[in-house]
Amino acid sequence: MSYYWFKAFHLIGVVVWFAGLFYLVRLFVYHAEASEMPEPARTILKNQYQIMEKRLYNIITTPGMLVTVAMALGLIWTEPEVLKSGWLHIKLAFVGLLLVYHHYCKRIMKQLEKDECKWTGQQFRALNEAPTVLLVIIVLLAVFKNNLPLDATTWLIVALVIAMAASIQLYAKKRRQDKERLMQVTQE
């Protein structure tokens, strides 16, 4: 019975953790783009984004990560033979990358707070796609285990990355066109 409790709260932790990671980097996008605003809006927005980033990271994202990891340890404790599975080792490697990403976000928060981060909104949009790719890989490994079709999975991940890159570029193009239109309207 404890296995099901660990599994349920592991999944809840994953949802909370990823929700936090997705929104945190979205806040980084807005934080970076606030630099383009005139004063006093720039200072007001940056201060507000700093507060939101810290609260999200400390109150939602990090606890979600801790619950995920703790419940994963509980799952392994209830079924230690799973440690012999190759798929789990690969999954744990990707979870390790996710943990690095999580802590890298903390570093970026500190840089944004000190106004030392030189990333653009578009660069943060690209960074925001990393947990999506990791999520897809981790879930596929958890579902398929040792039966994961590597050919199909590889093509799926490549297509996902290409689609994400294309959507980021298309959105950047749309924003540039919108700015140009706005400039033309204000000049008339």
Side-chain angles (χ1 to χ4, degrees):
M1 182 60 80
S2 59
Y3 173 84
Y4 295 109
W5 286 105
F6 287 132
K7 190 167 196 163
F9 282 96
H10 177 69
L11 292 171
I12 291 166
V14 168
V15 170
V16 171
W17 187 18
F18 272 91
L21 287 175
F22 290 142
Y23 190 49
L24 182 63
V25 181
R26 176 55 50 185
L27 288 174
F28 294 168
V29 170
Y30 302 143
H31 196 139
E33 290 176 352
S35 297
E36 301 167 11
M37 303 295 287
E39 286 295 350
R42 177 184 316 140
T43 301
I44 293 168
L45 289 170
K46 283 186 166 191
N47 288 339
Q48 185 61 42
Y49 291 136
Q50 260 178 288
I51 292 167
M52 294 168 70
E53 290 159 3
K54 283 182 184 177
R55 287 180 181 166
L56 178 63
Y57 188 86
N58 294 321
I59 299 171
I60 296 172
T61 311
T62 298
M65 175 201 63
L66 293 173
V67 167
T68 300
V69 172
M71 296 303 107
L73 293 172
L75 286 167
I76 291 170
W77 174 73
T78 61
E79 290 191 352
E81 65 278 358
V82 75
L83 286 172
K84 297 175 185 170
S85 302
W87 69 269
L88 183 63
H89 297 154
I90 297 167
K91 177 186 170 193
L92 291 175
F94 283 107
V95 171
L97 288 174
L98 192 59
L99 289 166
V100 168
Y101 179 89
H102 177 97
H103 293 292
Y104 185 66
C105 286
K106 176 71 170 188
R107 183 174 172 211
I108 290 172
M109 278 175 42
K110 289 179 181 180
Q111 290 175 346
L112 286 166
E113 183 177 8
K114 294 176 187 175
D115 211 20
E116 294 174 351
C117 187
K118 303 301 177 207
W119 285 49
T120 65
Q122 186 169 357
Q123 289 170 318
F124 279 126
R125 281 183 183 86
L127 180 68
N128 200 31
E129 302 307 332
T132 304
V133 173
L134 291 172
L135 176 64
V136 169
I137 293 169
I138 291 167
V139 168
L140 289 175
L141 283 163
V143 170
F144 284 96
K145 299 184 180 2
N146 288 324
N147 297 317
L148 183 64
L150 291 179
D151 290 348
T153 303
T154 302
W155 284 111
L156 173 71
I157 299 303
V158 168
L160 183 63
V161 169
I162 290 170
M164 290 173 176
S167 66
I168 291 168
Q169 292 301 318
L170 289 171
Y171 184 70
K173 182 178 178 180
K174 181 189 178 310
R175 285 181 51 126
R176 280 192 305 274
Q177 289 172 342
D178 290 348
K179 268 187 184 178
E180 289 169 4
R181 278 190 218 111
L182 183 62
M183 293 288 284
Q184 288 174 349
V185 169
T186 56
Q187 289 176 353
E188 292 175 358

Coordinates of all heavy atoms in Angstrom, one line a residue, residues 60-90:
I60 N 6.9 27.1 -4.2 CA 6.3 26.1 -5.1 C 7.3 25.2 -5.8 O 7.2 24.0 -5.6 CB 5.4 26.8 -6.1 CG1 4.3 27.6 -5.4 CG2 4.9 25.8 -7.1 CD1 3.4 28.5 -6.3
T61 N 8.2 25.8 -6.5 CA 9.1 25.0 -7.3 C 10.0 24.1 -6.5 O 10.1 22.9 -6.8 CB 10.0 25.9 -8.2 OG1 9.1 26.8 -8.9 CG2 10.7 25.1 -9.3
T62 N 10.8 24.6 -5.6 CA 11.7 23.8 -4.8 C 10.9 22.8 -3.9 O 11.4 21.6 -3.9 CB 12.6 24.7 -3.9 OG1 13.4 25.5 -4.8 CG2 13.5 23.9 -3.0
P63 N 9.9 23.2 -3.2 CA 9.1 22.1 -2.5 C 8.6 21.0 -3.4 O 8.6 19.8 -3.1 CB 8.0 22.9 -1.8 CG 8.5 24.2 -1.6 CD 9.3 24.5 -2.8
G64 N 8.2 21.4 -4.6 CA 7.8 20.4 -5.6 C 8.9 19.4 -6.0 O 8.7 18.2 -6.1
M65 N 10.1 20.0 -6.1 CA 11.3 19.2 -6.4 C 11.6 18.2 -5.3 O 11.8 17.0 -5.4 CB 12.5 20.0 -6.7 CG 13.8 19.3 -6.9 SD 15.3 20.2 -6.6 CE 15.1 20.7 -4.9
L66 N 11.5 18.8 -4.0 CA 11.8 18.0 -2.9 C 10.8 16.8 -2.7 O 11.2 15.7 -2.3 CB 11.9 18.9 -1.6 CG 13.0 19.9 -1.6 CD1 12.9 20.8 -0.4 CD2 14.4 19.2 -1.6
V67 N 9.6 17.1 -2.9 CA 8.5 16.1 -2.8 C 8.8 15.0 -3.8 O 8.7 13.8 -3.6 CB 7.1 16.6 -2.9 CG1 6.1 15.6 -3.1 CG2 6.8 17.5 -1.7
T68 N 9.1 15.4 -5.1 CA 9.3 14.5 -6.1 C 10.5 13.5 -5.8 O 10.4 12.3 -5.9 CB 9.7 15.3 -7.4 OG1 8.6 16.1 -7.8 CG2 10.0 14.3 -8.6
V69 N 11.6 14.1 -5.4 CA 12.8 13.3 -5.0 C 12.5 12.4 -3.8 O 12.9 11.2 -3.8 CB 14.0 14.2 -4.8 CG1 15.2 13.4 -4.3 CG2 14.4 14.9 -6.1
A70 N 11.9 13.0 -2.8 CA 11.6 12.2 -1.6 C 10.7 11.0 -1.9 O 10.9 9.9 -1.4 CB 11.0 13.1 -0.5
M71 N 9.7 11.2 -2.7 CA 8.7 10.1 -3.0 C 9.4 9.1 -4.0 O 9.1 7.9 -3.9 CB 7.5 10.7 -3.6 CG 6.6 11.6 -2.7 SD 6.1 10.8 -1.2 CE 7.2 11.6 0.0
A72 N 10.3 9.6 -4.8 CA 11.0 8.6 -5.7 C 11.9 7.7 -4.8 O 12.0 6.5 -5.1 CB 11.9 9.4 -6.7
L73 N 12.5 8.3 -3.8 CA 13.3 7.5 -2.9 C 12.4 6.5 -2.2 O 12.8 5.3 -1.9 CB 14.1 8.3 -1.9 CG 15.2 9.2 -2.5 CD1 15.7 10.2 -1.4 CD2 16.3 8.3 -3.1
G74 N 11.2 6.9 -1.8 CA 10.2 6.0 -1.2 C 9.8 4.9 -2.1 O 9.7 3.7 -1.7
L75 N 9.6 5.2 -3.4 CA 9.3 4.2 -4.4 C 10.4 3.1 -4.5 O 10.2 1.9 -4.6 CB 9.0 4.8 -5.7 CG 7.7 5.6 -5.9 CD1 7.7 6.4 -7.2 CD2 6.6 4.6 -5.9
I76 N 11.7 3.6 -4.5 CA 12.8 2.7 -4.6 C 12.9 1.9 -3.4 O 13.2 0.7 -3.4 CB 14.1 3.5 -4.9 CG1 14.0 4.1 -6.3 CG2 15.3 2.7 -4.7 CD1 15.1 5.1 -6.7
W77 N 12.6 2.5 -2.2 CA 12.7 1.8 -0.9 C 11.6 0.6 -0.9 O 11.9 -0.5 -0.4 CB 12.4 2.7 0.2 CG 12.3 2.1 1.5 CD1 13.3 1.5 2.3 CD2 11.1 1.9 2.3 NE1 12.8 1.0 3.4 CE2 11.4 1.2 3.5 CE3 9.8 2.2 2.1 CZ2 10.5 0.9 4.4 CZ3 8.8 1.9 3.0 CH2 9.2 1.2 4.2
T78 N 10.5 0.9 -1.5 CA 9.4 -0.2 -1.5 C 9.7 -1.3 -2.6 O 9.2 -2.4 -2.5 CB 8.0 0.4 -1.8 OG1 8.0 1.0 -3.1 CG2 7.6 1.3 -0.7
E79 N 10.4 -0.9 -3.6 CA 10.8 -1.9 -4.7 C 12.2 -1.7 -5.1 O 12.6 -1.3 -6.2 CB 9.9 -1.6 -5.9 CG 8.4 -2.0 -5.7 CD 7.7 -2.0 -7.0 OE1 8.2 -1.6 -8.1 OE2 6.5 -2.5 -7.0
P80 N 13.2 -2.1 -4.2 CA 14.6 -1.9 -4.5 C 15.1 -2.7 -5.8 O 16.1 -2.2 -6.4 CB 15.3 -2.5 -3.3 CG 14.3 -3.3 -2.6 CD 12.9 -2.8 -3.0
E81 N 14.4 -3.7 -6.2 CA 14.8 -4.4 -7.4 C 14.8 -3.6 -8.7 O 15.4 -3.9 -9.7 CB 14.0 -5.7 -7.6 CG 12.6 -5.5 -7.9 CD 11.7 -5.3 -6.7 OE1 12.2 -5.3 -5.5 OE2 10.5 -5.1 -6.9
V82 N 14.0 -2.5 -8.6 CA 13.9 -1.6 -9.8 C 15.3 -0.9 -10.1 O 15.5 -0.5 -11.2 CB 12.8 -0.5 -9.6 CG1 13.2 0.6 -8.6 CG2 12.4 0.1 -10.9
L83 N 16.1 -0.9 -9.1 CA 17.5 -0.3 -9.3 C 18.3 -1.1 -10.3 O 19.3 -0.6 -10.8 CB 18.2 -0.2 -8.0 CG 17.7 1.0 -7.1 CD1 18.4 0.9 -5.7 CD2 18.0 2.3 -7.7
K84 N 17.9 -2.3 -10.6 CA 18.6 -3.2 -11.6 C 18.2 -2.9 -13.0 O 18.7 -3.4 -14.0 CB 18.4 -4.6 -11.3 CG 18.9 -5.1 -9.9 CD 18.5 -6.5 -9.6 CE 19.0 -6.8 -8.2 NZ 18.4 -8.1 -7.7
S85 N 17.2 -2.0 -13.2 CA 16.6 -1.7 -14.5 C 17.4 -0.6 -15.2 O 17.6 0.5 -14.7 CB 15.1 -1.3 -14.4 OG 14.4 -2.3 -13.7
G86 N 17.8 -0.9 -16.5 CA 18.5 0.0 -17.3 C 17.7 1.3 -17.5 O 18.3 2.4 -17.5
W87 N 16.4 1.2 -17.8 CA 15.6 2.4 -18.1 C 15.6 3.4 -16.9 O 15.6 4.6 -17.1 CB 14.2 2.0 -18.4 CG 13.4 1.5 -17.2 CD1 13.3 0.2 -16.9 CD2 12.6 2.2 -16.3 NE1 12.5 0.1 -15.7 CE2 12.1 1.3 -15.3 CE3 12.4 3.6 -16.1 CZ2 11.3 1.7 -14.3 CZ3 11.6 4.0 -15.1 CH2 11.1 3.0 -14.1
L88 N 15.7 2.8 -15.7 CA 15.7 3.7 -14.5 C 17.0 4.5 -14.4 O 16.9 5.7 -14.1 CB 15.4 2.9 -13.2 CG 15.4 3.8 -12.0 CD1 14.2 4.7 -12.0 CD2 15.3 3.0 -10.7
H89 N 18.1 3.9 -14.8 CA 19.4 4.6 -14.8 C 19.3 5.8 -15.8 O 19.8 6.8 -15.5 CB 20.5 3.6 -15.1 CG 20.7 2.6 -14.0 ND1 21.2 1.4 -14.3 CD2 20.3 2.5 -12.7 CE1 21.2 0.6 -13.2 NE2 20.6 1.3 -12.2
I90 N 18.8 5.5 -16.9 CA 18.7 6.5 -18.0 C 17.7 7.6 -17.5 O 18.0 8.8 -17.6 CB 18.2 6.0 -19.3 CG1 19.3 4.9 -19.8 CG2 18.0 7.1 -20.3 CD1 18.8 4.1 -21.0

